[in-house]
Amino acid sequence: MTRPDAQSRKPVMMTVDDDPAVSRAVARDLRRHYGEDHRIVRAESGPEALETLKQLKLRGEAVATLIADYRMPQMTGIEFLEQAMDLYPAARRVLLTAYADTHAAIDAINVVDLDHYLLKPWDPPEEKLYPVVDALLEAWRAAPQHAIPHTKVIGHRWSARSWQVRDFLARNGLYYTWFMADEPAGEQLLQAAGEDGRRLPIVITEQGDPLIEPTDAQLADKLGLASTPSQEFYDLIVIGGGPAGLAAAVYGASEGLRTVLIERTATGGQAGQSSRIENYLGFPDGVSGGQLAERARRQAEKFGAELITARAATALEINGSKRTIRFADGGSIDAHAVILATGVAYRNLEADGCHELTGCGVYYGAAVSVASDCKDEEVYVVGGANSAGQAAMYLSREANSVTIVVRGPSLEASMSYYLIQQIEQNPKITVRTCTEVRRATGDGHLEKLTLVNNRTGDTEEVTCARMFIFIGAAPRTEWLDGVLARDAHGFILTGPDLRNVCGWTLDRPPHHLETSVPGVFATGDVRSESAKRVAAAVGEGSMAVMLVHRYLAES
């Protein structure tokens, strides 16, 4: 994801003195000389100053200098500077002292790595204050501690929930910076948030608000994603934000239908996780799934479609001409018509240890947020379809090696020719055919795989830091059981495939993408016998809107 331009924020210069008159005088002198390029913040006690520093840290602001008086009740200047070092170790530290306290200032050089001590009074400041501070600011700028004004995520490298949070933010186009809780920068943020690292992950918003172990819905609400429909009744409800659903939202809204799209995680679907799609019409140089999803999302919103994130549909009800969608949280919305574009999920790999290590080195799909952590690692990709090949090519940029594991004798039956050629020409990628994963093992995270040759029965244990799984396609249609006709694998039957299926009530035959319930349509991968290609899904999404218009005209 492209890093957005950092908000221009002036570096902070903080002064701490318990004497209000002296505090104002120090701030006045600093503001007069440095106020144009710096923000002067003053506090009248050490605890007050530390609390302010924590807020600045959470908001991602830079602190250039800390100027503290030595003699203060509650907390001396040395004690303050010692604790402030944990939050802003790069800030330049200055102690204000009277002549009689110079010995304390000298001791502080060793205790808090003091940069300078200033004797009070310093009149005139042009001679006794500004030259000292100028030198300190120059040193700070030469080796600054960069501010992080964006959303920050603190977690463990091998935490399943930390991975899920990063994936949610990345797939929704929300820029963030990742910190590991056991590294100095992460520890500083934990201290600023008042946490000890036992409750992770922690997400800190740009405004400095810490979210402890947040749910997807909490993240959506706090970070500006719409999670609640604005109306109770629409012309068209689209369930699922993959290519088919986004196309339906674009065409529905652009043709005047009051349209809302409901997505449980992030727009883009499985295609949105593809590192590069090279066979999509109109993009000769290829396009990442994330870029394609972001453009489609903006396009849908431009035409007036509502996009609702982090809401899961759990039931479809038919009430006369009204179609009702119920959510997991008990809410519901109604519409004249519904388009189901819920896509598919990768099937679970039935190998010992995989379930326990999911999110801790074992992943379904290949989110860019995790793929970037694969530098110099031994990585395995399980599956032989295009999604697996695209992931292998992307992972090979950073990983030490990438091994594709497929059950069949070759890739030709399931992968596009252009991808097979790229894989063959990539020296970092190896393909192991007629091979399956039997076991995944590791202490808290994936470390080894046991592979078996399905022709000879031979087994081999290999070192593996991460495994990305792309096998099969399981439709997300359990919530439609008993409402819509589905095939033996759970895919939704539509149009001509509904022949000889009970439940159709109208004299006319069902439209091409119409389900066994009139006014409810299915598009993309969730539909039985669909093409399972991005271009086909987009075409079906746009075609479904045309059929919705036809249905509404007949009703």
Side-chain angles (χ1 to χ4, degrees), residues 334-364:
D334 303 314
H336 292 301
V338 174
I339 294 177
L340 300 170
T342 50
V344 294
Y346 292 116
R347 295 191 184 278
N348 290 337
L349 180 62
E350 300 299 333
D352 293 342
C354 276
H355 176 73
E356 293 79 6
L357 294 173
T358 297
C360 305
V362 175
Y363 307 98
Y364 288 87

Side-chain angles (χ1 to χ4, degrees), residues 56-113:
L56 294 172
K57 185 74 178 181
L58 293 175
R59 292 200 299 266
E61 303 211 31
V63 175
T65 61
L66 299 165
I67 304 174
D69 186 61
Y70 170 61
R71 288 185 177 272
M72 292 188 294
Q74 296 181 277
M75 180 182 291
T76 68
I78 295 176
E79 291 170 338
F80 161 72
L81 292 173
E82 188 174 11
Q83 293 191 41
M85 283 175 63
D86 294 333
L87 295 169
Y88 283 99
R92 301 297 157 171
R93 294 171 288 278
V94 179
L95 194 67
L96 302 181
T97 66
Y99 182 78
D101 296 322
T102 53
H103 67 283
I106 294 172
D107 291 341
I109 292 175
N110 298 320
V111 175
V112 296
D113 193 21

Side-chain angles (χ1 to χ4, degrees), residues 233 237 315-319 321-326 331-335 338 479 520:
F233 195 94
I237 300 171
L316 167 65
E317 297 178 359
I318 313 304
N319 300 299
S321 63
K322 183 172 64 176
R323 308 292 180 254
T324 300
I325 295 293
R326 297 201 176 277
S332 67
I333 52 174
D334 303 314
V338 174
W479 61 287
V520 178

Side-chain angles (χ1 to χ4, degrees), residues 37-353:
D37 299 316
H38 299 78
R39 187 154 68 93
I40 313 303
V41 175
R42 67 185 184 91
E44 296 183 359
S45 73
E48 177 190 339
L50 285 174
E51 187 60 34
T52 300
L53 284 179
K54 289 177 182 179
Q55 294 302 316
L56 294 172
K57 185 74 178 181
L58 293 175
R59 292 200 299 266
E61 303 211 31
V63 175
T65 61
L66 299 165
I67 304 174
D69 186 61
Y70 170 61
R71 288 185 177 272
M72 292 188 294
Q74 296 181 277
M75 180 182 291
T76 68
I78 295 176
E79 291 170 338
F80 161 72
L81 292 173
E82 188 174 11
Q83 293 191 41
M85 283 175 63
D86 294 333
L87 295 169
Y88 283 99
R92 301 297 157 171
R93 294 171 288 278
V94 179
L95 194 67
L96 302 181
T97 66
Y99 182 78
D101 296 322
T102 53
H103 67 283
I106 294 172
D107 291 341
I109 292 175
N110 298 320
V111 175
V112 296
D113 193 21
L114 195 67
D115 293 294
H116 204 89
Y117 68 88
L118 282 171
L119 291 175
K120 299 185 293 184
W122 51 63
D123 289 334
E126 289 76 12
E127 294 181 11
K128 298 184 178 181
L129 175 64
Y130 299 151
V132 171
V133 177
D134 285 344
L136 295 176
L137 288 174
E138 184 178 350
W140 177 80
R141 283 190 293 266
Q145 182 181 18
H146 296 291
I148 310 290
H150 310 294
T151 299
K152 296 167 275 288
V153 180
I154 312 161
H156 286 307
R157 183 185 187 193
W158 301 113
S159 159
R161 183 54 188 161
S162 293
W163 160 64
Q164 291 166 357
V165 164
R166 295 172 65 191
D167 186 43
F168 179 85
L169 296 177
R171 291 177 61 191
N172 279 289
L174 299 170
Y175 184 84
Y176 69 91
T177 304
W178 163 247
F179 297 89
M180 284 191 276
D182 56 355
E183 294 187 347
E187 291 173 351
Q188 292 171 19
L189 286 168
L190 285 175
Q191 181 182 357
E195 291 291 322
D196 57 10
R198 286 184 288 185
R199 299 190 298 168
L200 294 173
I202 295 175
V203 176
I204 300 172
T205 69
E206 291 189 35
Q207 293 73 34
D209 299 323
L211 307 177
I212 314 300
E213 299 178 313
T215 64
D216 287 353
Q218 289 171 330
L219 288 172
D221 289 339
K222 199 68 176 180
L223 298 176
L225 298 175
S227 58
T228 303
S230 65
Q231 304 176 43
E232 295 181 354
F233 195 94
Y234 293 83
D235 295 319
L236 173 62
I237 300 171
V238 180
I239 307 296
L246 286 168
V250 167
Y251 282 91
S254 67
E255 294 179 15
L257 296 177
R258 290 173 298 165
T259 302
V260 61
L261 184 150
I262 308 296
E263 169 54 50
R264 64 189 302 164
T265 304
T267 52
Q270 285 188 357
Q273 300 180 67
S274 296
S275 55
R276 185 150 297 275
I277 303 169
E278 297 190 69
N279 60 351
Y280 187 70
L281 186 67
F283 292 89
D285 299 320
V287 61
S288 76
Q291 291 172 329
L292 193 63
E294 173 60 22
R295 293 178 182 183
R297 181 166 54 213
R298 293 203 315 265
Q299 197 171 15
E301 290 176 329
K302 182 187 82 169
F303 287 121
E306 281 187 50
L307 270 60
I308 306 301
T309 305
R311 293 294 290 273
T314 58
L316 167 65
E317 297 178 359
I318 313 304
N319 300 299
S321 63
K322 183 172 64 176
R323 308 292 180 254
T324 300
I325 295 293
R326 297 201 176 277
F327 300 119
D329 61 3
S332 67
I333 52 174
D334 303 314
H336 292 301
V338 174
I339 294 177
L340 300 170
T342 50
V344 294
Y346 292 116
R347 295 191 184 278
N348 290 337
L349 180 62
E350 300 299 333
D352 293 342

